[in-house]
Amino acid sequence: MSTCTDSVVGDILSSWRYDISGISPEMRTDYEEHLATCAFCRSRQRLHRTIDVALISLSTLCIAAFLLALAVIHHVEPLRTAAKVIHLEHTAVVFTLQAAAILGLLASLAAWILVAIATPAPGYLTGVAMEQARVLQDRIPEELRSRLRA
Ligand SMILES: [Zn+2]
């Protein structure tokens, strides 16, 4: 459990971050077999996919947070006209916040794209979603399913 059963295959898998979704199905079988038999590589694979999903979730959350910030800043605008006394100063503050939020949004968008390109997270999440859909479909009673098909 604590070590790989085949260090040669294990090293190759490790260099790919245990992602074999990019290689052709014929070449994949050896690695799939190893993953099926080697608990060490299987647990590493799970860890790496968890990291990928965490990264993409985090960057998605960042995008949402900056969008929210921009929306809030945008709504502050009417307040500005109400507070005419500190008008000039306030404009400057709103612009700085807006610039910061836009910069943050661009940075998190870039991070999201990088994660999506560099990791198998999108494919992995699609796979999980398809799996869930299949499970749900299997749960639909046979009677209802045949009626849906008809
Ligand atoms: Zn292994």
Side-chain angles (χ1 to χ4, degrees):
M1 180 70 199
S2 57
T3 48
C4 181
T5 54
D6 186 338
S7 60
V8 177
V9 181
D11 283 347
I12 296 170
L13 280 172
S14 160
S15 70
W16 291 338
R17 294 185 69 246
Y18 301 89
D19 169 35
I20 53 167
S21 59
I23 55 175
S24 65
E26 309 92 69
M27 280 178 68
R28 213 183 291 171
T29 43
D30 286 345
Y31 300 110
E32 271 171 347
E33 217 173 86
H34 179 77
L35 283 170
T37 52
C38 178
F40 175 76
C41 287
R42 212 162 44 233
S43 70
R44 296 307 299 263
Q45 187 186 38
R46 207 172 310 133
L47 174 73
H48 279 281
R49 291 304 80 79
T50 309
I51 293 169
D52 295 344
V53 171
L55 280 175
I56 206 142
S57 312
L58 201 69
S59 41
T60 308
L61 274 177
C62 281
I63 292 170
F66 282 117
L67 280 176
L68 188 72
L70 277 173
V72 169
I73 293 163
H74 189 73
H75 279 284
V76 168
E77 215 89 340
L79 281 178
R80 197 179 58 181
T81 41
K84 276 218 165 92
V85 191
I86 48 161
H87 187 232
L88 266 176
E89 262 172 63
H90 198 86
T91 311
V93 170
V94 168
F95 272 127
T96 337
L97 279 178
Q98 204 161 31
I102 288 169
L103 272 177
L105 180 65
L106 288 176
S108 27
L109 272 173
W112 194 94
I113 292 165
L114 274 178
V115 172
I117 292 170
T119 73
Y124 176 74
L125 286 174
T126 313
V128 170
M130 297 285 274
E131 195 75 23
Q132 287 295 320
R134 248 195 305 277
V135 168
L136 278 176
Q137 201 176 24
D138 285 344
R139 254 185 235 158
I140 298 172
E142 184 54 49
E143 193 198 335
L144 192 69
R145 238 188 295 175
S146 54
R147 218 181 302 166
L148 281 172
R149 238 175 279 145

